Amino acid sequence: MTKFPENTRNKIPFLQKAAFGSGHLVNNLLPGALGVFSFFLITAFGIEPAIAGLLAAIPRFFDALSDPIMGFISDNTNSKWGRRRPYIFVGAILSAILFAVQWQLFQENGTTFNFWYFLLFSILFIFANTIFSTPLIGFGYEMTSDTKERTRLMGIANMVGQISWMIVPLFWVLIANKDLFETQAEGVRTLSIYVGFACLFFGILPAVFCKENDVSDSDSKASITIKDLGKNLKILWANMKNMTKNDPFMRLCGSTFLVFNGFQMVGSFSFFIIVFYMFNGSYELAGTVPAVFSILIAATTFILVIPIVTWMANKFGKRNAFIISTFISVIGYILKWWGFVVVDENTAVLFNDVILQVGVVKFSIELPIILLLPIPFMAFGLGGLFTLMMSMTADVCDLDELQNGLPRREGTFGAIYWWSVKIGQSIALALGGLVLSMVGFDAGNATQSMQTMNDLRIADIIIPSSTALLAVAIMWKYNLNEDSVKIIQKELKERRTEKSNKLKAEQNVI
């Protein structure tokens, strides 16, 4: 029997925004923790670097395949609990358990056993995380039909997600802390359980508290059965081809690819510059400065940047807010030239000799004051990017419904958007290593030549600045503004009402 579409809604209660944000806390914490823990495959479990690289790369292949399929499944699901919430609930539980299980490695089991053990559970974790993450992203696109409320929702989600990036840098300190763990391997095994438990708790909250707003009638959805697998794959392929013809969506993907992956390409450079330039290759003197630097960027994004970007978007439009925030980030990248200075006895230090103790763990939180210079400006890059792009992708879903009809494809759009990000991230990481080789950087040496460090500092500025400016050029002609979205939504509402009335009339005749 046909399910009539629900009424669209505008305002989202704060509890639901917070619950949706908790999902994005998990969505950031899991990959962040995975990135840190993966380093210890080499140092704690004795796996060769080349083998560790394979363990990181192989699961990403399955990730690229599973995302669009999961998006299609969630778009076309019919259940009494909704089309997103069951997957988010189950996916959060499976992701949390499998994340912890994959890190229960013991060096005495041998490299071969640990390789196959980690590879198997990494692939299972990737699938579980896809079941959680892809419907969650699509969920956010459909929670409200109000274009400004979409920005507020994504702003809160991005703010809560930044908490993860305040926590993740601390994992380096915790795992290596001999007062907490006898070995790094024990630290990885134990922390993975805590991370898994936290992700289980916060991951199920969107499924419990958030309300779906599915306007797709059941007759428009594909049948999700094994016998229809071939037909559904053809539908998915056709949907993906249509998305490549959606000019606003392609501009969102292209600009995100450039901004995010330009930043990712030089992501490790700040760490190397702090250690090898500011502190002349001394990890001991650098201490927690790289971690504190990263934490302050995330904290600034949380406290300052996202509220400002959200206000700018609702005041001047999302496209204009993106252009402004991206230009501000370029200023921050340029200011790094003066922010990274050689530290000596005359360098002014914030919180000099201040030690923060939490239980038995002690953290030095001192930071050269000059390093604060670029942080507020740099934070506008990623802080503005994902707040605005996620909101604009929700607008694109309205355009897609107008052009291609129901069912709405928020899950598939979200999967393809993040698919492009993940592929770009892999390319960026590879290119980042190439840049390090080109400037002559050798992490095995305690010191680097001044020419190498100057070249690295220049690359650290030019690469993200250039990709950011190219992204601005792409978004300059983005034409799906707030007025356009309102016109589209009005037409969609009329279309849905007409279809609903027609179906009711047919049923009354029967």
Side-chain angles (χ1 to χ4, degrees):
M1 185 175 181
T2 299
K3 170 190 161 187
F4 293 119
E6 300 175 15
N7 292 327
T8 57
R9 59 177 178 156
N10 294 330
K11 298 299 180 183
I12 305 172
F14 180 78
L15 176 63
Q16 292 187 39
K17 289 178 180 176
F20 180 69
S22 75
H24 281 267
L25 174 70
V26 175
N27 224 19
N28 285 274
L29 184 58
L30 284 175
L34 186 65
V36 174
F37 288 14
S38 294
F39 172 82
F40 293 97
L41 285 172
I42 301 169
T43 62
F45 300 107
I47 294 177
E48 292 292 326
I51 301 298
L54 277 177
L55 287 172
I58 293 174
R60 295 294 170 270
F61 173 76
F62 292 94
D63 193 19
L65 292 176
S66 62
D67 277 4
I69 293 173
M70 189 63 231
F72 179 86
I73 291 172
S74 71
D75 285 339
N76 291 278
T77 292
N78 282 307
S79 82
K80 64 180 180 180
W81 300 287
R83 61 175 181 166
R84 315 282 188 202
R85 294 166 65 219
Y87 299 116
I88 294 171
F89 187 86
V90 173
I93 295 171
L94 292 176
S95 295
I97 293 172
L98 289 168
F99 180 84
V101 169
Q102 74 176 334
W103 291 105
Q104 301 312 303
L105 296 168
F106 295 85
Q107 192 168 3
E108 54 267 28
N109 289 335
T111 301
T112 301
F113 177 87
N114 283 339
F115 174 85
W116 290 109
Y117 175 93
F118 188 82
L119 180 61
L120 171 62
F121 284 104
S122 289
I123 293 172
L124 292 175
F125 165 72
I126 286 293
F127 282 136
N129 191 237
T130 297
I131 293 171
F132 166 76
S133 177
T134 302
L136 175 73
I137 292 167
F139 200 172
Y141 297 154
E142 69 184 19
M143 285 178 68
T144 177
S145 57
D146 184 281
T147 184
K148 292 186 177 181
E149 185 72 352
R150 285 169 174 168
T151 304
R152 287 188 282 265
L153 172 66
M154 298 309 175
I156 289 176
N158 202 7
M159 285 176 69
V160 178
Q162 291 303 312
I163 296 174
S164 299
W165 301 108
M166 299 180 210
I167 296 171
V168 165
L170 299 177
F171 291 157
W172 297 100
V173 182
L174 294 172
I175 291 172
N177 191 300
K178 295 188 183 300
D179 293 326
L180 281 178
F181 308 110
E182 289 186 9
T183 64
Q184 292 180 353
E186 181 189 345
V188 170
R189 288 193 296 268
T190 304
L191 272 182
S192 69
I193 295 172
Y194 283 103
V195 170
F197 179 79
C199 290
L200 190 156
F201 175 78
F202 289 107
I204 64 174
L205 294 183
V208 174
F209 292 104
C210 292
K211 181 181 178 182
E212 292 199 26
N213 189 36
D214 181 11
V215 299
S216 300
D217 56 78
S218 56
D219 286 351
S220 67
K221 296 179 181 178
S223 176
I224 305 299
T225 61
I226 295 297
K227 73 174 184 177
D228 293 311
L229 177 62
K231 182 173 70 174
N232 288 339
L233 287 175
K234 289 180 181 179
I235 296 172
L236 174 60
W237 179 248
N239 289 343
M240 292 169 64
K241 286 176 65 177
N242 281 334
M243 290 176 186
T244 63
K245 300 173 185 176
N246 188 314
D247 182 73
F249 183 61
M250 287 294 97
R251 290 182 185 276
L252 297 182
C253 290
S255 56
T256 301
F257 180 95
L258 288 165
V259 173
F260 180 68
N261 296 308
F263 183 88
Q264 283 290 105
M265 195 185 302
V266 300
S268 62
F269 290 10
S270 293
F271 175 82
F272 293 133
I273 293 170
I274 289 171
V275 173
F276 290 94
Y277 180 73
M278 296 181 67
F279 292 94
N280 198 31
S282 172
Y283 287 91
E284 182 178 356
L285 290 176
T288 59
V289 170
V292 173
F293 182 71
S294 298
I295 291 169
L296 285 177
I297 292 176
T300 304
T301 304
F302 177 92
I303 296 168
L304 181 68
V305 171
I306 294 175
I308 292 175
V309 168
T310 302
W311 174 82
M312 284 196 303
N314 290 338
K315 182 72 173 178
F316 307 115
K318 300 175 191 180
R319 167 191 166 276
N320 294 334
F322 171 79
I323 292 173
I324 294 169
S325 61
T326 304
F327 271 126
I328 293 173
S329 72
V330 171
I331 294 172
Y333 299 141
I334 294 171
L335 288 175
K336 283 194 287 184
W337 183 262
W338 294 276
F340 292 119
V341 297
V342 176
V343 175
D344 56 29
E345 64 276 6
N346 297 317
T347 304
V349 176
L350 187 68
F351 303 122
N352 193 21
D353 296 326
V354 174
I355 304 295
L356 179 66
Q357 183 163 353
V358 181
V360 298
V361 183
K362 297 179 180 179
F363 298 101
S364 168
I365 58 173
E366 63 183 25
L367 187 82
I369 292 176
I370 194 66
L371 259 183
L372 296 174
L373 179 64
I375 287 176
F377 302 91
M378 286 174 54
F380 274 88
L382 299 190
L385 178 72
F386 289 118
T387 299
L388 297 167
M389 292 303 175
M390 290 175 68
S391 177
M392 285 190 275
T393 304
D395 296 339
V396 164
C397 293
D398 291 334
L399 176 63
D400 177 69
E401 183 188 346
L402 181 69
Q403 294 175 337
N404 300 300
L406 295 172
R408 286 178 66 91
R409 284 164 278 270
E410 289 95 346
T412 308
F413 270 101
I416 299 302
Y417 175 82
W418 287 99
W419 191 27
S420 67
V421 170
K422 291 173 183 177
I423 291 174
Q425 186 177 18
S426 299
I427 296 172
L429 293 174
L431 292 178
L434 178 62
V435 172
L436 285 172
S437 298
M438 290 175 63
V439 301
F441 183 85
D442 184 357
N445 290 335
T447 59
Q448 309 291 329
S449 72
M450 186 57 66
Q451 181 66 47
T452 292
M453 293 314 303
N454 281 336
D455 289 346
L456 186 62
R457 293 173 66 207
I458 291 170
D460 188 40
I461 293 170
I462 289 179
I463 290 173
S465 297
S466 300
T467 56
L469 293 174
L470 284 173
V472 168
I474 288 175
M475 288 298 292
W476 201 264
K477 292 186 178 181
Y478 180 85
N479 58 9
L480 192 60
N481 58 32
E482 286 73 6
D483 291 336
S484 301
V485 173
K486 288 179 181 178
I487 294 171
I488 290 170
Q489 289 181 345
K490 182 180 178 182
E491 187 170 343
L492 290 176
K493 185 176 180 180
E494 292 172 353
R495 182 187 294 182
R496 293 175 196 144
T497 301
E498 181 181 349
K499 182 176 182 179
S500 179
N501 290 338
K502 182 178 179 181
L503 289 170
K504 287 178 181 178
E506 290 175 354
Q507 290 179 359
N508 288 335
V509 170
I510 295 172

